Amino acid sequence: MIVSLEEVIRLLNDHGVRYIVIGGWAAIIHGTARSTSDVDVVYARDRENLKRIVGALQPWNPYLRGAPPGLPFRWDERTLESGLNFTLTTTHGDIDLLGEVSGGGRYEQLLPCSTEVTAFGLTCRVGTLDKLIQLKRAAGRAKDLEVIAELQALLEERKKLDDAADASS
């Protein structure tokens, strides 16, 4: 099942979760012509935010993606606090909750490298194009390396537009 970014944003926003969308959906928001089957978010790891995340996702029955059925897994604050990065499957689709990412660090380190956007009439934070390129390079997976050229082309196009706007003002 492919998770709806709109549903995830709405859910996290309704619960006051502090997060930044990265990965495939962030690239799509910036204009790539890619598709993705999960939502990747970097989340703040303070106690209050952990509590909000657990409460938000509880109705979606999160379970470790790829884990054998029946493996004991408890979705609670202690689990979230004890771990860092969680690849979850839910009744609404797959979500990757990332406490830290290669090339970007934790939520607080990524925050200055994110921008607020409106998608589906909802506001969320998304990694900037520059930062997404850096994160994709650091991940080093074939699927991440494939999208870098497209992200760089978008970045160059935006810089040209910005330069043209600056020159006309």
Side-chain angles (χ1 to χ4, degrees):
M1 171 187 298
I2 296 176
V3 69
S4 160
L5 177 64
E6 180 179 1
E7 282 185 292
V8 172
I9 292 172
R10 186 175 312 283
L11 181 73
L12 297 178
N13 286 359
D14 286 351
H15 284 82
V17 174
R18 293 185 1 251
Y19 66 95
I20 300 168
V21 176
I22 61 167
W25 272 111
I28 292 166
I29 288 170
H30 282 295
T32 64
R34 301 279 171 162
S35 65
T36 186
S37 60
D38 65 359
V39 175
D40 303 307
V41 298
V42 176
Y43 64 97
R45 291 193 41 84
D46 59 274
R47 187 168 298 279
E48 186 57 38
N49 205 52
L50 297 182
K51 181 186 238 182
R52 291 174 181 161
I53 293 169
V54 168
L57 289 178
Q58 192 70 50
W60 287 17
N61 301 311
Y63 191 75
L64 295 173
R65 189 164 60 241
L71 180 76
F73 176 70
R74 177 173 288 159
W75 180 248
D76 59 17
E77 291 170 55
R78 183 175 177 190
T79 297
L80 199 53
E81 186 175 30
S82 297
L84 184 64
N85 294 338
F86 295 85
T87 55
L88 301 171
T89 188
T90 76
T91 53
H92 291 255
D94 294 342
I95 300 172
D96 292 353
L97 284 178
L98 307 167
E100 187 172 338
V101 291
S102 296
R106 294 180 180 254
Y107 172 86
E108 292 76 14
Q109 293 163 306
L110 283 172
L111 194 55
C113 305
S114 69
T115 186
E116 199 170 86
V117 299
T118 300
F120 314 106
L122 304 165
T123 301
C124 66
R125 295 206 73 79
V126 176
T128 62
L129 271 173
D130 285 328
K131 185 49 83 173
L132 287 177
I133 292 166
Q134 186 179 354
L135 296 176
K136 295 286 185 189
R137 275 199 185 105
R141 301 174 302 184
K143 70 178 190 174
D144 293 310
L145 298 175
E146 289 173 5
V147 74
I148 289 174
E150 193 173 352
L151 291 171
Q152 286 178 314
L154 285 168
L155 184 62
E156 289 170 19
E157 193 61 33
R158 288 213 181 134
K159 286 181 180 177
K160 286 179 191 174
L161 291 171
D162 289 345
D163 289 347
D166 289 343
S168 67
S169 40

